[in-house]
Amino acid sequence: MLDDLLIGIDQSNRLPVLDLLMKRFSDWQIVLLTHDRVWFEMARAHLRPATEWAYLELHDTPTSAVTSMPVVREQGPNAAISALDQADEFCEQGHIAAGATYARTAFELALRRWAEIGSVKIRFRTDHGDLSSQELIDAIRDQKARDPKSNEAKALKAVEMFRTVVLNPMSHAAPPGIVKSEVQGAIAAVRFMISVYSKK
């Protein structure tokens, strides 16, 4: 069991340590714990081809005003799909703003993944966090979705319909009256986008 053991190692050395664990301890059951979301996503992306890994999140859920209970949520190797599943779950529970936040997270993860697997060229930035979703959409459209009748163009058009409210990071600081159908529409649009680039 490795409880945030790799957190003290700089980012450039963490992935080689994961490779070492997979190579030297392939017949062991390894439990890797972390509270660092970025590291969790990096490890999940790096280990994606290794199907024997399971990805779990542990959350604290209130059971009353003074008690809570840990809840384990299984996450698949695809972070965007996992976020969409969580968005669906929140919507069904009536937590529309939380569902919208997870839908937006899935949208951003899916755009980055499409750009990555599609070898989409974008302007270099020292901090990749400065890259906006609109810049990714524009680059994908210019390089992968020029034909307006293509599924790629249709997928981009579908997600753009929900960008101003549901899929806009600024909309979640003080969410306006986002309704369940808008969040469900955004979830469906992001799922369609993933299905399109996953077929390539």
Side-chain angles (χ1 to χ4, degrees):
M1 178 174 287
L2 305 173
D3 186 4
D4 260 340
L5 181 69
L6 301 180
I7 206 79
I9 301 173
D10 55 335
Q11 296 286 5
S12 62
N13 290 316
R14 289 184 190 180
L15 297 181
V17 170
L18 282 182
D19 291 336
L20 177 74
L21 290 171
M22 289 172 45
K23 182 178 178 183
R24 299 283 182 146
F25 298 93
S26 61
D27 56 341
W28 290 50
Q29 182 176 2
I30 300 170
V31 178
L32 180 62
L33 303 171
T34 186
H35 69 281
D36 184 335
R37 184 58 161 185
V38 173
W39 170 229
F40 176 80
E41 297 301 344
M42 283 177 60
R44 178 167 34 184
H46 187 70
L47 297 170
R48 185 176 300 143
T51 56
E52 67 273 9
W53 283 82
Y55 309 92
L56 306 171
E57 289 184 355
L58 183 64
H59 295 271
D60 191 31
T61 302
T63 55
S64 72
V66 293
T67 63
S68 62
M69 174 183 209
V71 174
V72 177
R73 292 189 184 117
E74 186 163 353
Q75 302 289 309
N78 185 318
I81 295 293
S82 294
L84 288 173
D85 292 343
Q86 189 63 55
D88 276 331
E89 188 177 322
F90 276 128
C91 283
E92 290 308 312
Q93 295 170 353
H95 304 296
I96 307 306
T101 299
Y102 272 84
R104 179 183 53 82
T105 299
F107 166 64
E108 292 170 357
L109 290 167
L111 272 180
R112 289 177 189 274
R113 182 72 179 140
W114 190 356
E116 177 188 345
I117 65 174
S119 299
V120 173
K121 294 176 177 70
I122 54 173
R123 187 171 61 88
F124 173 79
R125 285 172 181 71
T126 304
D127 181 0
H128 72 282
D130 290 340
L131 181 64
S132 74
S133 58
Q134 189 59 53
E135 289 173 279
L136 280 172
I137 287 173
D138 292 343
I140 291 169
R141 180 179 290 112
D142 290 346
Q143 298 170 42
K144 303 291 176 190
R146 288 188 178 151
D147 178 4
K149 295 180 182 177
S150 69
N151 281 337
E152 290 83 356
K154 291 175 185 175
L156 291 177
K157 185 175 181 178
V159 293
E160 285 183 300
M161 285 180 18
F162 297 97
R163 291 247 359 268
T164 56
V165 178
V166 180
L167 302 177
N168 177 353
M170 298 306 289
S171 70
H172 299 288
I178 297 174
V179 296
K180 185 176 180 178
S181 61
E182 290 174 326
V183 177
Q184 289 173 324
I187 292 168
V190 175
R191 284 193 193 279
F192 174 56
M193 183 176 76
I194 293 170
S195 74
V196 167
Y197 75 70
S198 295
K199 292 177 183 175
K200 296 292 175 186

